[in-house]
């Protein structure tokens, strides 16, 4: 069995899918989503199924082909007895969906680009796009204008030459395919974050963010209790929501920090609390929280530190974007 983004596939099917992805995306202006449009056009009765001959026609119209063994394997894998070739199953295998983290980052990028609008003029979108994260640009081999032009041109090709305003579905479709250019989900998420200067709202905080958060908490405590030691001042704040045993529950920590005037993401507060929760009991005594924060040396947990590295090279060849 082969695997594609964690999905188990028969080895021959896995090879066939990879070959189709590679062939299609190596052609200038060709996108996997074009195959979705072709399938819909061939399926004139909108049944969701195609005959063997129609599948062959779809590949021909798309400008690609498969050896007989691989073609038969794809047919067998996607055919439903009595109905025909389930092309939605085929397309979902050909164009894997983004994982939750990647989806959140792309949606955050769209929200930044579009604001409250349902669509954005292509020129405006291209101007907001940053070449950062593209390894060719970072290494000084490709000018930023070229990277921006490739983004602009890529969206036009994806939509078969249309220069109409871009909607969210177009934006997500574009980045769904660009995920195939990256070695893994983490590399892809960092690429999108760099290009649009956004962050996954649910991501673990970096070491820098840990430091900033701890510093803000101590500053707020000092303002309210001038002249009092950090540990004593912090303990007093935490006791406000502590239970009868003097313990603060994990679910109350973010709210407690906001009550102190600290603007904090739920993900950051949760990560900081988990770091202090030595017994993994989802509760820490107010006294210990005060002591930990007052003496915190910022040895943040390994899983909470996201390295800021250049995105690795692509897996699949593409002429419209070559990191």
């Amino acid at each position: 069995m082969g695997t594609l983004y964690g999905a188990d596939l028969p080895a021959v099917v896995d090879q066939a899918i990879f070959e189709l992805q590679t062939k299609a995306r190596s052609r200038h202006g060709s996108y996997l989503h074009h195959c979705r449009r072709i399938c819909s056009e061939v399926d004139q009765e909108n049944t969701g199924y195609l005959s063997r001959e129609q599948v062959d026609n779809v590949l021909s119209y798309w400008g690609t082909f498969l050896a007989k063994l691989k073609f038969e394997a794809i047919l067998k894998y996607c055919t439903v007895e009595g109905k025909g070739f389930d092309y939605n199953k085929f397309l979902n295998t050909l164009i894997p969906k983004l994982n939750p983290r990647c989806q959140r980052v792309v949606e955050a990028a769209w929200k930044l680009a579009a604001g409250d609008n349902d669509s954005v003029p292509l020129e405006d979108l291209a101007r907001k796009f940053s070449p950062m994260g593209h390894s060719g640009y970072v290494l000084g081999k490709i000018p930023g204008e070229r990277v921006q032009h490739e983004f602009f041109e890529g969206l036009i090709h994806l939509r078969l030459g249309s220069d109409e305003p871009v909607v969210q579905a177009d934006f997500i479709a574009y980045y769904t395919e660009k995920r195939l250019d990256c070695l893994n989900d983490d590399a892809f998420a960092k690429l999108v974050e760099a290009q649009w200067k956004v962050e996954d709202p649910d991501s673990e905080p970096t070491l820098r963010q840990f430091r900033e958060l701890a510093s803000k908490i101590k500053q707020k405590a000092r303002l309210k209790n001038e002249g009092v030691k950090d540990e004593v001042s912090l303990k007093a704040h935490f006791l406000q929501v502590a239970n009868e045993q003097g313990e603060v529950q994990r679910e109350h920590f973010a709210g407690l920090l906001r009550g102190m005037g600290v603007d904090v993401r739920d993900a950051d507060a949760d990560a900081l609390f988990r770091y202090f929760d030595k017994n993994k009991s989802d509760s820490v005594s107010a006294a210990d929280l005060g002591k930990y924060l007052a003496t915190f040396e910022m040895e943040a947990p390994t899983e909470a530190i996201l390295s800021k590295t250049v995105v690795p090279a692509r897996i699949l060849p593409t002429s419209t974007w070559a990191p």
Side-chain angles (χ1 to χ4, degrees):
M1 301 289 282
T3 61
L4 185 70
Y5 296 180
D8 287 334
L9 295 173
V12 179
V13 174
D14 191 47
Q15 293 166 12
I17 290 295
F18 184 80
E19 183 177 327
L20 286 172
Q21 291 173 334
T22 303
K23 286 181 176 179
R25 304 186 72 247
S26 64
R27 299 195 307 272
H28 181 71
S30 177
Y31 281 83
L32 301 179
H33 280 79
H34 293 166
C35 188
R36 186 182 301 279
R37 187 188 300 266
I38 295 170
C39 286
S40 298
E41 292 175 353
V42 172
D43 180 23
Q44 296 181 357
E45 296 181 3
N46 196 29
T47 64
Y49 298 91
L50 300 174
S51 67
R52 177 194 181 93
E53 182 180 356
Q54 287 175 319
V55 176
D56 195 30
N57 289 337
V58 165
L59 295 182
S60 296
Y61 295 154
W62 195 27
T64 190
F65 66 92
L66 285 172
K68 183 177 180 180
L69 177 64
K70 294 177 180 177
F71 180 72
E72 295 292 342
I74 287 285
L75 278 178
K76 181 179 179 181
Y77 181 72
C78 296
T79 294
V80 178
E81 188 175 355
K83 292 186 176 181
F85 182 83
D86 183 348
Y87 63 80
N88 286 308
K89 179 178 180 179
F90 168 66
L91 292 168
N92 289 336
T93 306
L94 182 71
I95 316 170
K97 293 181 179 179
L98 297 175
N99 77 356
R101 179 191 175 196
C102 294
Q103 183 75 22
R104 288 193 302 268
V105 171
V106 172
E107 288 177 351
W110 171 255
K111 184 175 182 180
L112 181 142
D116 295 328
N117 301 313
D118 294 329
S119 62
V120 184
L122 189 52
E123 294 81 2
D124 291 349
L125 199 63
R127 278 194 291 269
K128 294 177 181 179
F129 172 86
S130 168
M132 289 304 298
H134 189 298
S135 57
Y137 173 76
V138 173
L139 296 173
K141 296 181 179 180
I142 300 176
E145 294 79 5
R146 177 179 166 186
V147 179
Q148 289 175 315
H149 176 73
E150 289 171 352
F151 171 74
F152 181 90
E153 185 183 56
L155 275 169
I156 288 181
H157 286 310
L158 174 72
R159 301 182 307 150
L160 299 177
S162 172
D163 60 358
E164 291 294 313
V166 178
V167 298
Q168 185 179 24
D170 298 331
F171 191 80
I172 292 176
Y174 176 84
Y175 274 107
T176 298
E177 295 209 24
K178 291 311 171 187
R179 163 60 186 88
L180 296 171
D181 293 339
C182 297
L183 291 178
N184 53 48
D185 291 321
D186 186 54
F188 172 78
K190 289 177 183 176
L191 176 67
V192 179
E193 288 174 339
Q195 289 178 340
W196 296 97
K197 297 181 176 62
V198 296
E199 291 184 350
D200 174 7
D202 294 332
S203 66
E204 291 283 88
T206 62
L207 178 56
R208 175 183 59 80
Q209 290 168 326
F210 257 85
R211 287 175 174 152
E212 290 176 352
L213 177 56
S215 177
K216 287 179 182 178
I217 295 171
K218 286 191 279 189
Q219 287 174 7
K220 292 295 183 180
R222 288 168 187 163
L223 286 174
K224 293 187 177 182
N225 297 279
E226 190 174 353
V228 179
K229 289 184 178 180
D230 287 340
E231 181 177 341
V232 176
S233 178
L234 289 165
K235 176 183 176 181
H237 281 290
F238 295 142
L239 280 172
Q240 295 175 19
V241 295
N243 58 23
E244 294 180 356
Q245 288 74 41
E247 296 180 333
V248 176
Q249 301 297 310
R250 177 175 166 183
E251 60 189 33
H252 298 147
F253 189 57
L256 173 60
L257 296 184
R258 294 189 184 105
M260 294 174 64
V262 178
D263 184 17
V264 61
R265 296 187 317 158
D266 287 340
D268 292 353
D270 191 64
L272 191 62
F273 190 90
R274 283 189 280 112
Y275 180 59
F276 292 143
D277 184 11
K278 309 300 183 182
N279 297 323
K280 307 305 177 187
S281 61
D282 285 342
S283 65
V284 180
S285 73
D288 282 345
L289 273 178
K291 180 176 67 176
Y292 292 154
L293 266 171
T295 60
F296 190 32
E297 296 298 330
M298 304 311 158
E299 293 297 334
T302 302
E303 66 269 17
I305 303 175
L306 301 179
S307 60
K308 303 296 183 183
T309 57
V310 174
V311 175
R314 67 191 186 282
I315 292 178
L316 297 179
T318 170
S319 58
T320 58
W321 187 10

